[in-house]
Amino acid sequence: MKTLILAAVAALTLYGCSSAPQAPTAPPPPALPVATITSGSETTFQEYPASIEGTVNVEIRPQVSGTLDKVFVDEGAFVSAGQPIFKINEQPYRAALNNALASLHAAEAAHVNAQLEVDKLTPLVANKVVSDYQLKTAKAALDVAKANIESAKANVATAQINVGYTLIKAPVSGYIGLLAKKQGSLVAPADVAPLTQLSDVHDVHVYFSLGEKDFVAFKEQYPGANLKDKLKNVPSVSLLLADNTEYAKQGKIDIVDGQFDKNTGAITLRANFANPDGLLRSGNTGKIRLSLSHKDALIVPESATVEMQDKVFVFTVGDSSKVKKQPIDIVGKSGDHYLVKDKEGIKAGDQIVLEGIDKLQEGMVIQPQKQADKVAAVVKH
């Protein structure tokens, strides 16, 4: 009986031990691909909205009032310097010129009479026939006659200028804009709107703006003791047209504005482009494509980054395969890679996680799997 009891107790003990819950086994660390950060020199391109203007944009305005008798050109036409484009009725100004010429002739005749009077009195005064007072009076009258001739000549010149103003000629070669007044309209110098605008576009100026940060980076790119010297070392720039096609000619940055715009915090630059075929016109818009060289930049795949609160991070792999979230300072982009400034916390040679970063947490342990084919390679130029 005692033996049976002991056997039963042993059986119960064995049953209780076999049915006790087992402690859960910790899952293995996730296996994630990693790559080594490399560094190198890279050229990126930034695009900036731009406006296009002709080298010369002239408002054509009348210098005299009158009726617009003739319009010799049509809107959009190309005109050469000196070519007539408008004609104002010249009759009132022609009559004023004739009147001025008549006044000149009268002044010249009065001068002749004054000279004769002086010539007559001179010997009489010498022989003391008449007093020298009369001669002095005659000479004064002669001086007045000379002054009247000069005044009359000035009036003639003014009248001739006004007659010339009735024919308006193109001051430069270029393209005619919209015509604000048509034939038969009354025009005057005080008119608010010009008759038209004339644009010389054999070369064009393309204006674009850089923010303070971009402008500092732009200046640091090129050697030179001052900004003028640096501009000489700036390579040619490209112009993208409104349809995103690239303009055939390359341009050269030649001018930087003297100060930043207080409202926008940007500074304006000007690039000059040749326009022999007249493809570009004043008022066109486009984009300037500016190349920026980055030396010793870290190359990080975009897919290996995560953005949080306006900052971009990567997960580096440290000792014991623990990951650490590190912010990066992006200075450019080349294809699907970010160009990152070498800074404290991330450097060339560090390993970063390439995939699955959305599931990672600070200090988490992983199984690094090197992906040689996904290492951020430097593009050779």
Side-chain angles (χ1 to χ4, degrees):
M1 185 66 179
K2 183 177 180 180
T3 302
L4 291 174
I5 294 174
L6 291 174
V9 170
L12 290 173
T13 302
L14 289 174
Y15 176 79
C17 291
S18 63
S19 61
Q22 298 290 327
T25 303
L32 296 176
V34 299
T36 301
I37 297 177
T38 61
S39 66
S41 297
E42 182 77 13
T43 299
T44 61
F45 297 91
Q46 294 285 343
E47 296 177 359
Y48 301 93
S51 60
I52 301 172
E53 298 291 341
T55 53
V56 178
N57 291 313
V58 183
E59 289 186 344
I60 306 299
R61 292 181 177 273
Q63 298 296 306
V64 293
S65 301
T67 303
L68 197 59
D69 276 355
K70 293 181 180 179
V71 179
F72 298 107
V73 295
D74 200 358
E75 296 172 340
F78 178 83
V79 295
S80 301
Q83 179 179 335
I85 50 180
F86 297 104
K87 177 65 176 177
I88 297 174
N89 187 347
E90 68 172 19
Q91 291 182 356
Y93 302 100
R94 183 66 64 181
L97 175 59
N98 293 334
N99 187 48
L101 288 171
S103 298
L104 174 60
H105 297 328
E108 291 172 340
H111 177 266
V112 171
N113 286 334
Q115 185 65 57
L116 290 173
E117 185 67 16
V118 170
D119 293 343
K120 181 183 72 173
L121 291 175
T122 299
L124 295 177
V125 171
N127 295 324
K128 298 183 179 181
V129 176
V130 297
S131 67
D132 62 349
Y133 174 79
Q134 290 178 287
L135 180 58
K136 290 179 180 179
T137 302
K139 288 183 176 180
L142 178 61
D143 291 339
V144 171
K146 290 180 180 179
N148 288 338
I149 289 177
E150 297 302 320
S151 177
K153 287 181 178 179
N155 290 336
V156 169
T158 299
Q160 289 174 333
I161 291 173
N162 287 336
V163 170
Y165 280 153
T166 61
L167 182 61
I168 302 176
K169 299 179 181 180
V172 296
S173 299
Y175 291 91
I176 294 292
L178 297 178
L179 300 177
K181 297 291 182 72
K182 307 300 181 182
Q183 184 172 335
S185 301
L186 185 64
V187 298
D191 289 345
V192 175
L195 295 175
T196 188
Q197 288 189 330
L198 179 60
S199 297
D200 179 3
V201 292
H202 72 280
D203 286 334
V204 294
H205 292 153
V206 180
Y207 296 91
F208 64 102
S209 297
L210 297 181
E212 291 187 55
K213 184 178 179 180
D214 285 350
F215 185 62
V216 170
F218 171 79
K219 290 192 298 180
E220 290 177 348
Q221 292 283 313
Y222 312 106
N226 51 51
L227 187 57
K228 184 177 180 181
D229 292 339
K230 289 177 180 291
L231 288 180
K232 295 178 182 178
N233 296 309
V234 176
S236 298
V237 295
S238 301
L239 173 64
L240 299 181
L241 303 179
D243 60 355
N244 280 329
T245 59
E246 185 173 341
Y247 182 58
K249 303 288 185 180
Q250 293 283 298
K252 184 68 176 176
I253 298 176
D254 55 358
I255 284 180
V256 177
D257 197 355
Q259 60 185 5
F260 280 84
D261 187 297
K262 294 181 180 179
N263 296 321
T264 63
I267 193 168
T268 300
L269 287 77
R270 188 185 80 181
N272 189 55
F273 286 80
N275 188 34
D277 300 325
L279 177 64
L280 304 177
R281 300 292 181 92
S282 289
N284 279 157
T285 59
K287 294 178 181 178
I288 284 289
R289 178 179 286 169
L290 187 64
S291 63
L292 296 174
S293 178
H294 305 276
K295 294 182 179 180
D296 300 325
L298 303 180
I299 315 250
V300 175
E302 182 181 1
S303 60
T305 64
V306 59
E307 185 174 352
M308 299 179 185
Q309 298 179 348
D310 297 330
K311 292 184 178 180
V312 180
F313 297 86
V314 295
F315 280 91
T316 60
V317 182
D319 296 337
S320 304
S321 298
K322 289 184 178 180
V323 297
K324 183 177 181 180
K325 187 168 65 175
Q326 294 282 9
I328 59 175
D329 186 3
I330 298 173
V331 295
K333 188 176 181 181
S334 177
D336 57 356
H337 291 76
Y338 284 135
L339 303 181
V340 178
K341 184 182 296 185
D342 194 344
K343 59 183 291 187
E344 184 179 356
I346 182 173
K347 60 185 182 299
D350 285 349
Q351 286 191 335
I352 60 171
V353 180
L354 293 179
E355 298 176 4
I357 56 178
D358 55 331
K359 299 178 181 179
L360 293 179
Q361 295 181 359
E362 184 78 10
M364 188 173 174
V365 177
I366 66 168
Q367 294 184 42
Q369 292 186 338
K370 291 188 176 181
Q371 301 288 316
D373 58 332
K374 292 188 178 182
V375 173
V378 179
V379 180
K380 303 296 183 182
H381 292 283

